[in-house]
């Protein structure tokens, strides 16, 4: 039978915020131009696969600041979650499973068909 972990509320909140920040950062990066600095477009078909990029206007200072802010918060949360005092209470061989359970703690449990 699988062990059920009683995660502290601050650890659960930190992990949930980490998920949210990573999702927000990922969405932002997908919306932004491919290059931080303005760059001409290019097409390279001499390699093993063709690579094409349109011209990039670069990121604005506000966009750069937003990415930096999200990356900084992501780092803070990752450190908080990974160094939380809770992990000292979990036996070393069980920490990987416990960490995986924490990452999925916000998900609804799958319902089994009857």
């Amino acid at each position: 039978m699988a062990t059920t972990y009683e995660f502290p509320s601050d650890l659960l909140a930190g992990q949930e915020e980490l998920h949210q920040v990573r999702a927000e950062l990922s969405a932002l990066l997908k919306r932004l131009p491919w290059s931080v600095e303005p760059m001409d477009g290019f097409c390279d078909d001499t390699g093993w696969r063709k690579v094409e990029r349109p011209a990039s206007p670069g990121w604005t200072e506000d966009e750069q600041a937003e990415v930096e802010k999200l990356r900084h918060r992501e780092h803070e949360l990752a450190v908080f979650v990974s160094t939380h005092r809770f992990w000292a209470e979990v036996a070393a061989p069980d920490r990987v499973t416990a960490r995986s359970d924490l990452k999925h703690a916000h998900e609804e449990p799958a319902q089994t068909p009857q």
Side-chain angles (χ1 to χ4, degrees):
M1 187 169 177
T3 303
T4 302
Y5 300 97
E6 294 294 325
F7 298 112
S9 60
D10 64 330
L11 181 57
L12 286 167
Q15 181 63 54
E16 181 61 24
E17 187 179 351
L18 181 57
H19 283 306
Q20 292 170 355
V21 167
R22 284 182 172 160
E24 192 176 336
L25 179 59
S26 178
L28 176 61
L29 291 172
K30 286 178 184 175
R31 285 193 315 268
L32 292 175
W34 63 270
S35 175
V36 177
E37 299 294 324
M39 297 280 259
D40 293 334
F42 66 90
C43 178
D44 181 3
D45 57 4
T46 59
W48 64 277
R49 67 184 176 106
K50 185 177 181 178
V51 178
E52 282 185 279
R53 294 272 192 240
S56 172
W59 297 358
T60 66
E61 287 185 20
D62 289 344
E63 290 167 338
Q64 290 179 40
E66 182 66 16
V67 168
E68 181 62 29
K69 181 183 97 177
L70 289 170
R71 285 182 174 157
H72 180 72
R73 185 64 182 147
E74 178 187 31
H75 181 267
E76 288 177 339
L77 289 165
V79 169
F80 171 78
V81 168
S82 63
T83 62
H84 194 278
R85 65 189 174 282
F86 172 78
W87 302 117
E89 301 170 13
V90 179
D94 299 330
R95 286 184 191 144
V96 171
T97 302
R99 179 72 181 105
S100 180
D101 288 355
L102 175 65
K103 287 180 180 182
H104 299 283
H106 70 287
E107 298 172 358
E108 293 292 324
Q111 294 184 358
T112 56
Q114 297 181 5

